[in-house]
Amino acid sequence: QAEHHTVRRRSRARAFIEIQCQQTLYPDLCIRSLSYYVSNFTANLSLRQLAQVALRVTLANAESTKTYVADVAKDLNQTKSYRFAKECLDQISDGVAQLSNCIKETQMIKEDGETIDFPWHASNVKTWMSTALTDASTCVDGFSGRAFGGKKRAMIKAKVLNLQQATSISLALFNRFAARYRSSHVDKPKV
């Protein structure tokens, strides 16, 4: 009986993820990457929790991408292509820092959004996620038309594209949480 109850709650969490992911630009990737974490939620999942999980998944993705690009840059040391790999690494490293800031900032926001400085915290998160998205885009743009190891370049582009999509998903889910907060805290016009 208890096991059936837990499974039903996990199914509700999975359904919640699917509904929220449909509002992103990459719903399939969103569902695939976040559903793995459903087992951690045997109670109802909130928009805030979902946004935080998405951010942690994105940060893990960014750290993995950073490690790969660092390895490629090390392999390309003393070649003409090193500069492009190093510039990409710098962009991804900055993105990792921005996403880390986002996670710290969202931890300051209470479950119901009742945080004195909610608009300020939300603005910081959106700015830092947008910067991380730009960093990833700048990395990929730096490789356009460069004659540098086709396979390595293709792998970096694929990893960074996945990172861009994950960051976009995180931003969309955070925006949904922030919009829900704003709509529940709008001052009603006085009659």
Side-chain angles (χ1 to χ4, degrees):
Q1 181 72 16
E3 186 177 317
H4 174 69
H5 186 63
T6 300
V7 169
R8 196 172 74 229
R9 284 184 169 198
R10 285 184 183 151
S11 296
R12 278 202 312 247
R14 166 80 187 206
F16 179 75
I17 287 172
E18 289 174 358
I19 290 166
Q20 298 308 316
C21 284
Q22 292 306 317
Q23 307 303 314
T24 70
L25 292 176
Y26 310 101
D28 293 339
L29 176 63
C30 179
I31 293 166
R32 207 169 47 249
S33 61
L34 299 180
S35 291
Y36 173 79
Y37 297 93
V38 169
S39 62
N40 295 333
F41 294 97
T42 54
N44 290 336
L45 187 59
S46 71
L47 280 172
R48 176 182 165 266
Q49 289 170 319
L50 187 60
Q52 287 179 319
V53 168
L55 264 170
R56 286 193 293 274
V57 168
T58 302
L59 178 59
N61 186 322
E63 288 170 337
S64 170
T65 302
K66 177 183 169 185
T67 299
Y68 182 78
V69 175
D71 289 344
V72 170
K74 195 177 352 175
D75 289 346
L76 293 174
N77 199 2
Q78 307 301 320
T79 69
K80 290 182 199 174
S81 301
Y82 173 75
R83 182 172 64 97
F84 302 113
K86 179 70 171 88
E87 286 172 5
C88 178
L89 178 60
D90 291 344
Q91 296 296 324
I92 300 302
S93 295
D94 184 63
V96 167
Q98 302 295 337
L99 293 166
S100 295
N101 287 340
C102 289
I103 289 174
K104 290 175 194 162
E105 199 78 5
T106 58
Q107 289 170 343
M108 292 184 219
I109 300 170
K110 295 181 181 160
E111 185 60 47
D112 59 2
E114 286 293 342
T115 303
I116 294 171
D117 297 327
F118 179 83
W120 182 72
H121 291 302
S123 176
N124 287 341
V125 171
K126 290 177 188 183
T127 299
W128 293 330
M129 271 199 268
S130 295
T131 300
L133 203 50
T134 301
D135 286 335
S137 179
T138 302
C139 166
V140 171
D141 291 347
F143 285 118
S144 297
R146 306 288 179 207
F148 137 172
K151 187 176 178 184
K152 287 180 182 177
R153 182 173 71 178
M155 183 62 91
I156 287 175
K157 284 181 104 170
K159 286 182 172 292
V160 174
L161 176 61
N162 187 267
L163 175 58
Q164 285 177 295
Q165 292 172 346
T167 306
S168 171
I169 290 165
S170 292
L171 182 56
L173 293 174
F174 183 81
N175 281 336
R176 286 186 61 75
F177 164 66
R180 176 77 49 90
Y181 169 81
R182 278 193 302 273
S183 69
S184 66
H185 290 79
V186 171
D187 291 333
K188 305 285 187 250
K190 293 179 181 159
V191 183

